mmCIF file of all heavy atoms in Angstrom:
data_model
loop_
_atom_site.group_PDB
_atom_site.id
_atom_site.type_symbol
_atom_site.label_atom_id
_atom_site.label_comp_id
_atom_site.label_asym_id
_atom_site.label_seq_id
_atom_site.Cartn_x
_atom_site.Cartn_y
_atom_site.Cartn_z
ATOM 1 N N PHE A 534 90.114 108.480 118.822
ATOM 2 C CA PHE A 534 89.942 107.770 120.279
ATOM 3 C C PHE A 534 90.094 108.872 121.335
ATOM 4 O O PHE A 534 89.605 108.619 122.479
ATOM 5 C CB PHE A 534 91.137 106.780 120.387
ATOM 6 C CG PHE A 534 90.912 105.588 119.437
ATOM 7 C CD1 PHE A 534 91.542 105.547 118.258
ATOM 8 C CD2 PHE A 534 89.995 104.661 119.683
ATOM 9 C CE1 PHE A 534 91.287 104.489 117.336
ATOM 10 C CE2 PHE A 534 89.818 103.533 118.956
ATOM 11 C CZ PHE A 534 90.497 103.502 117.753
ATOM 12 N N PHE A 538 87.277 108.345 124.070
ATOM 13 C CA PHE A 538 87.535 107.647 125.345
ATOM 14 C C PHE A 538 88.229 108.464 126.319
ATOM 15 O O PHE A 538 88.384 107.982 127.461
ATOM 16 C CB PHE A 538 88.339 106.349 124.983
ATOM 17 C CG PHE A 538 87.719 105.545 124.013
ATOM 18 C CD1 PHE A 538 88.273 105.191 122.842
ATOM 19 C CD2 PHE A 538 86.501 104.935 124.139
ATOM 20 C CE1 PHE A 538 87.686 104.334 121.826
ATOM 21 C CE2 PHE A 538 85.793 104.067 123.325
ATOM 22 C CZ PHE A 538 86.449 103.771 122.133
ATOM 23 N N ASN A 552 87.437 105.935 129.211
ATOM 24 C CA ASN A 552 88.009 104.676 129.522
ATOM 25 C C ASN A 552 89.491 104.936 130.059
ATOM 26 O O ASN A 552 90.339 105.255 129.351
ATOM 27 C CB ASN A 552 88.041 103.781 128.332
ATOM 28 C CG ASN A 552 88.584 102.334 128.727
ATOM 29 O OD1 ASN A 552 89.707 102.191 129.113
ATOM 30 N ND2 ASN A 552 87.578 101.438 128.561
ATOM 31 N N GLN A 553 89.617 104.856 131.444
ATOM 32 C CA GLN A 553 90.944 105.097 131.988
ATOM 33 C C GLN A 553 92.011 104.207 131.531
ATOM 34 O O GLN A 553 93.180 104.512 131.592
ATOM 35 C CB GLN A 553 90.732 105.266 133.498
ATOM 36 C CG GLN A 553 89.855 106.292 134.066
ATOM 37 C CD GLN A 553 90.208 107.660 133.788
ATOM 38 O OE1 GLN A 553 91.413 107.883 133.510
ATOM 39 N NE2 GLN A 553 89.265 108.537 133.855
ATOM 40 N N GLN A 554 91.681 103.048 131.159
ATOM 41 C CA GLN A 554 92.587 102.093 130.699
ATOM 42 C C GLN A 554 93.349 102.496 129.366
ATOM 43 O O GLN A 554 94.487 102.204 129.163
ATOM 44 C CB GLN A 554 91.926 100.734 130.470
ATOM 45 C CG GLN A 554 92.895 99.668 130.066
ATOM 46 C CD GLN A 554 92.156 98.178 130.022
ATOM 47 O OE1 GLN A 554 91.049 98.108 130.454
ATOM 48 N NE2 GLN A 554 92.853 97.282 129.387
ATOM 49 N N LEU A 555 92.524 103.198 128.581
ATOM 50 C CA LEU A 555 93.045 103.636 127.154
ATOM 51 C C LEU A 555 93.811 104.958 127.269
ATOM 52 O O LEU A 555 94.657 105.269 126.411
ATOM 53 C CB LEU A 555 91.846 103.682 126.245
ATOM 54 C CG LEU A 555 91.184 102.439 125.829
ATOM 55 C CD1 LEU A 555 90.110 102.577 124.932
ATOM 56 C CD2 LEU A 555 92.210 101.395 125.334
ATOM 57 N N THR A 556 93.357 105.854 128.276
ATOM 58 C CA THR A 556 93.830 107.263 128.274
ATOM 59 C C THR A 556 95.425 107.294 128.150
ATOM 60 O O THR A 556 96.021 108.038 127.395
ATOM 61 C CB THR A 556 93.347 107.845 129.568
ATOM 62 O OG1 THR A 556 91.906 108.099 129.382
ATOM 63 C CG2 THR A 556 94.009 109.311 129.744
ATOM 64 N N PRO A 557 96.231 106.576 129.022
ATOM 65 C CA PRO A 557 97.643 106.654 128.903
ATOM 66 C C PRO A 557 98.263 106.340 127.647
ATOM 67 O O PRO A 557 99.120 106.892 126.977
ATOM 68 C CB PRO A 557 98.205 105.791 130.010
ATOM 69 C CG PRO A 557 97.051 104.843 130.299
ATOM 70 C CD PRO A 557 95.835 105.602 130.043
ATOM 71 N N LEU A 558 97.528 105.283 126.935
ATOM 72 C CA LEU A 558 98.034 104.843 125.597
ATOM 73 C C LEU A 558 97.723 105.841 124.545
ATOM 74 O O LEU A 558 98.507 106.185 123.660
ATOM 75 C CB LEU A 558 97.342 103.426 125.238
ATOM 76 C CG LEU A 558 97.620 102.387 126.077
ATOM 77 C CD1 LEU A 558 96.681 101.127 125.770
ATOM 78 C CD2 LEU A 558 99.101 101.937 125.915
ATOM 79 N N ILE A 559 96.503 106.516 124.656
ATOM 80 C CA ILE A 559 96.146 107.642 123.696
ATOM 81 C C ILE A 559 97.091 108.746 123.816
ATOM 82 O O ILE A 559 97.410 109.394 122.845
ATOM 83 C CB ILE A 559 94.667 107.995 123.953
ATOM 84 C CG1 ILE A 559 93.764 106.885 123.536
ATOM 85 C CG2 ILE A 559 94.351 109.095 122.998
ATOM 86 C CD1 ILE A 559 92.309 107.034 123.882
ATOM 87 N N VAL A 560 97.366 109.160 125.032
ATOM 88 C CA VAL A 560 98.251 110.168 125.352
ATOM 89 C C VAL A 560 99.702 109.981 124.809
ATOM 90 O O VAL A 560 100.238 110.916 124.008
ATOM 91 C CB VAL A 560 98.455 110.620 126.813
ATOM 92 C CG1 VAL A 560 99.436 111.573 127.105
ATOM 93 C CG2 VAL A 560 97.034 111.079 127.392
ATOM 94 N N GLN A 577 97.436 98.127 120.567
ATOM 95 C CA GLN A 577 97.005 97.746 122.063
ATOM 96 C C GLN A 577 95.606 98.375 122.186
ATOM 97 O O GLN A 577 94.854 97.693 122.922
ATOM 98 C CB GLN A 577 97.926 98.421 123.051
ATOM 99 C CG GLN A 577 99.382 97.773 123.012
ATOM 100 C CD GLN A 577 100.251 98.416 124.043
ATOM 101 O OE1 GLN A 577 100.019 98.496 125.249
ATOM 102 N NE2 GLN A 577 101.347 99.036 123.680
ATOM 103 N N ILE A 578 95.461 99.650 121.744
ATOM 104 C CA ILE A 578 94.073 100.253 121.953
ATOM 105 C C ILE A 578 92.944 99.443 121.257
ATOM 106 O O ILE A 578 91.910 99.280 121.677
ATOM 107 C CB ILE A 578 94.172 101.804 121.398
ATOM 108 C CG1 ILE A 578 95.056 102.518 122.316
ATOM 109 C CG2 ILE A 578 92.761 102.188 121.368
ATOM 110 C CD1 ILE A 578 95.336 103.896 121.627
ATOM 111 N N ASP A 579 93.292 98.904 120.002
ATOM 112 C CA ASP A 579 92.309 98.218 119.137
ATOM 113 C C ASP A 579 91.791 96.938 119.959
ATOM 114 O O ASP A 579 90.807 96.688 119.943
ATOM 115 C CB ASP A 579 93.012 97.734 117.891
ATOM 116 C CG ASP A 579 93.232 98.830 116.985
ATOM 117 O OD1 ASP A 579 92.804 99.954 117.169
ATOM 118 O OD2 ASP A 579 94.035 98.721 115.872
ATOM 119 N N THR A 581 91.780 96.385 123.252
ATOM 120 C CA THR A 581 90.894 96.756 124.493
ATOM 121 C C THR A 581 89.581 97.222 123.816
ATOM 122 O O THR A 581 88.397 96.732 124.433
ATOM 123 C CB THR A 581 91.507 97.852 125.141
ATOM 124 O OG1 THR A 581 92.763 97.322 125.749
ATOM 125 C CG2 THR A 581 90.578 98.234 126.367
ATOM 126 N N VAL A 582 89.460 98.013 122.802
ATOM 127 C CA VAL A 582 88.195 98.437 122.199
ATOM 128 C C VAL A 582 87.373 97.416 121.785
ATOM 129 O O VAL A 582 86.134 97.274 122.100
ATOM 130 C CB VAL A 582 88.475 99.415 120.997
ATOM 131 C CG1 VAL A 582 87.220 99.655 120.146
ATOM 132 C CG2 VAL A 582 89.046 100.724 121.408
ATOM 133 N N LEU A 587 83.697 98.502 123.121
ATOM 134 C CA LEU A 587 83.473 99.959 123.272
ATOM 135 C C LEU A 587 82.879 100.674 122.161
ATOM 136 O O LEU A 587 82.279 101.757 122.270
ATOM 137 C CB LEU A 587 84.903 100.595 123.646
ATOM 138 C CG LEU A 587 85.581 100.049 124.882
ATOM 139 C CD1 LEU A 587 86.954 100.710 125.064
ATOM 140 C CD2 LEU A 587 84.693 100.071 126.069
#
Side-chain angles (χ1 to χ4, degrees):
F534 292 99
F538 304 123
N552 191 295
Q553 299 295 340
Q554 183 177 345
L555 295 181
T556 293
L558 297 174
I559 295 170
V560 170
Q577 294 182 56
I578 293 170
D579 293 344
T581 299
V582 167
L587 301 180

